Amino acid sequence: MSEISEIIETLAEICGRSSVSNPIGLHEPDFRETRAWEYVKDCLDTGWVSTAGKWVSRFEQELCKYTKAEYAIAVTNGTVALRLGLHLVGVKPGDEVLMPPMSFVATANAVSHLGAIPHFVDIESNTFGICPQSLADRLGAVGEKRIDGLFNRETGRRIAAVVPVHIFGNPAEVDKVKQVCEQWNIALVEDAAEALGSWLGETHCGLIGEIGALSFNGNKLLTTGGGGALITNSSTLAERARHLSTTAKLSHPWEFKHDLVGWNDRMPNINAALGVAQLEVLDQTLEMKEELAELYRCSFERFEDVEFVTPTEKTSSNHWLNCLRFLDKQPDCAQRRRLEVLERAHAQGILLRPVWNLLHELPMYVDMPRANLPTAKDQASRLLNLPSSPQLIKR
Ligand SMILES: *Cc1c(COP(=O)(O)O)cnc(C)c1O
């Protein structure tokens, strides 16, 4: 039997019965063992379905309790959370923001929505997060400290922030990234969209830098339908986030006084109700995720030219998306075998995905500044995401 067939068989065993008409997705929501129905019904019965209500505050409180953040601000999605976070740390139109090229497109979009410019730096191959050494090298090569900030001497633009991404829920080496940021005096905003339940030591992802963005989109580990949040330990940032996300309205019983150009970014109550229900079972969800990752790890141990990618030991990952790496010497061979696995798995309803196309290869970002990106390029042709819904463990 060829190894490709063995890979498909192993996946089929873990995923259970699937077919093209009844496929298994990468990460599917599951509300069956939650009180979501009851909480949403409360919103409908009381009429509190929109941008204010008890479920929003409760969701924020529970998020704080779980992540140990001082403050959480629930918003409409993860992209919005990231855009708001970047704005709050001072990213302005025309500034550059450093980030890894291997991420979901929203990381770069959030920067672009502010009129700022993504600037790509290479990743490292264990966590797929931004590589602290490449970041330091890049800043050493193009960074110029002036009295009014750090500038890119090649483009003349200010470099305002770094956005590490905790890819697939694996904590990036943000502790080391933070040292580089301190050395160059630039802001650190974490894209923790995939990382609810992931920790670097005692610190929840998103809380190492100034502010972190979470996403509760339908395919994430916890979903509110659509939603996101900022988490931070800074009272100033939290207050401004709350103010700007609620049209910058000054509190008054009847007057409409707004003191800034704000956004309408608050999470609706009905979505927050789903969030509270899911947070109540988060520990069980994470246990099942851990079990599933362990099952994948054991099942792929005997393979020689693919490996199951496990996060490094000193971090704790939520295992949002499990990931297989093709170990062929040549990236094109890896890519060819990956395509074969993709085609055969999809034919039987197992909806695997290759890792995202690299951001600097997308048409709107091809001309953005970037360092050499050999590791990102190499890894991008080797990685395959596996079905990762926690309920696979209960089937
Ligand atoms: C999901 C995701 C986002 C955006 O979140 P949305 O809620 O979909 O807007 C941002 N960054 C990364 C890395 C993500 O995976």
Side-chain angles (χ1 to χ4, degrees):
M1 189 159 54
S2 81
E3 187 157 86
I4 303 263
S5 306
E6 273 185 73
I7 293 173
I8 300 288
E9 259 183 32
T10 306
L11 287 171
E13 229 164 79
I14 293 174
C15 294
R17 205 183 294 275
S18 70
S19 64
V20 174
S21 58
N22 187 19
I24 305 242
L26 223 47
H27 209 287
E28 297 167 346
D30 181 5
F31 291 97
R32 285 171 301 178
E33 278 164 38
T34 71
R35 299 173 71 183
W37 192 255
E38 181 189 330
Y39 296 171
V40 169
K41 184 171 184 302
D42 173 78
C43 297
L44 300 181
D45 289 346
T46 59
W48 287 90
V49 293
S50 195
T51 48
K54 69 174 184 194
W55 297 104
V56 180
S57 332
R58 193 160 146 197
F59 184 49
E60 290 177 339
Q61 283 160 15
E62 298 293 325
L63 268 180
C64 285
K65 214 188 280 172
Y66 181 78
T67 59
K68 303 194 187 128
E70 296 278 338
Y71 307 95
I73 300 94
V75 294
T76 49
N77 62 55
T79 312
V80 154
L82 200 53
R83 185 256 287 142
L84 190 54
L86 287 162
H87 173 77
L88 289 172
V89 300
V91 172
K92 302 227 157 34
D95 286 350
E96 291 181 7
V97 175
L98 297 155
M99 68 174 67
M102 186 185 281
S103 183
F104 179 57
V105 68
T107 314
N109 286 350
V111 168
S112 301
H113 293 163
L114 290 173
I117 289 155
H119 178 156
F120 302 108
V121 173
D122 209 7
I123 62 166
E124 53 83 37
S125 55
N126 293 317
T127 66
F128 311 125
I130 194 166
C131 169
Q133 190 56 51
S134 304
L135 176 68
D137 291 348
R138 181 62 176 169
L139 284 167
V142 305
E144 189 175 297
K145 278 186 183 169
R146 300 190 202 150
I147 23 169
D148 47 346
L150 174 66
F151 283 77
N152 179 339
R153 71 162 70 89
E154 287 180 359
T155 61
R157 289 186 289 246
R158 193 170 80 101
I159 299 176
V162 179
V163 182
V165 187
H166 303 287
I167 294 294
F168 311 144
N170 302 339
E173 295 180 290
V174 183
D175 40 354
K176 291 186 194 152
V177 170
K178 188 176 184 170
Q179 289 171 8
V180 181
C181 289
E182 280 166 0
Q183 188 189 337
W184 290 92
N185 198 21
I186 38 179
L188 175 56
V189 176
E190 289 170 73
D191 183 342
E194 305 173 357
L196 180 68
S198 298
W199 301 77
L200 245 174
E202 297 292 300
T203 313
H204 193 277
C205 287
L207 293 171
I208 298 128
E210 274 100 309
I211 197 161
L214 301 174
S215 165
F216 309 117
N217 185 40
N219 65 349
K220 296 296 194 314
L221 194 136
L222 181 151
T223 184
T224 56
L230 282 167
I231 49 174
T232 181
N233 290 327
S234 154
S235 61
T236 322
L237 290 178
E239 253 166 57
R240 289 177 57 217
R242 208 170 286 285
H243 189 55
L244 279 173
S245 63
T246 49
T247 67
K249 186 180 177 301
L250 302 174
S251 170
H252 191 281
W254 55 80
E255 282 207 55
F256 288 98
K257 278 196 180 160
H258 308 257
D259 62 351
L260 287 166
V261 180
W263 282 289
N264 179 16
D265 283 347
R266 285 293 272 165
M267 176 183 281
N269 202 42
I270 197 164
N271 297 86
L274 291 176
V276 173
Q278 292 235 304
L279 267 180
E280 285 171 349
V281 299
L282 182 61
D283 284 335
Q284 290 98 291
T285 307
L286 286 165
E287 268 170 41
M288 289 189 280
K289 296 285 292 176
E290 175 98 47
E291 225 179 290
L292 180 61
E294 186 56 21
L295 179 60
Y296 272 124
R297 198 186 61 71
C298 296
S299 308
F300 281 104
E301 219 161 30
R302 66 197 164 87
F303 287 76
E304 271 169 15
D305 45 14
V306 291
E307 72 174 341
F308 180 68
V309 187
T310 28
T312 49
E313 274 162 30
K314 66 167 185 164
T315 65
S316 136
S317 170
N318 65 8
H319 303 284
W320 175 55
L321 286 190
N322 293 295
C323 187
L324 205 60
R325 172 155 51 200
F326 289 79
L327 298 171
D328 313 55
K329 273 212 180 67
Q330 300 301 328
D332 358 340
C333 297
Q335 223 162 352
R336 217 171 311 123
R337 286 205 307 141
R338 180 175 68 177
L339 182 62
E340 204 178 320
V341 171
L342 274 163
E343 283 170 349
R344 289 177 56 180
H346 275 246
Q348 58 188 78
I350 303 175
L351 306 184
L352 308 174
R353 292 274 186 276
V355 67
W356 312 281
N357 288 31
L358 294 174
L359 298 179
H360 70 284
E361 291 172 355
L362 300 177
M364 57 288 191
Y365 297 124
V366 280
D367 293 327
M368 301 294 130
R370 61 172 193 255
N372 289 328
L373 307 168
T375 307
K377 222 171 151 35
D378 181 63
Q379 294 298 315
S381 51
R382 301 178 178 281
L383 303 184
L384 185 67
N385 286 127
L386 309 175
S388 300
S389 305
Q391 57 270 30
L392 286 178
I393 222 69
K394 289 191 297 197
R395 114 196 111 76

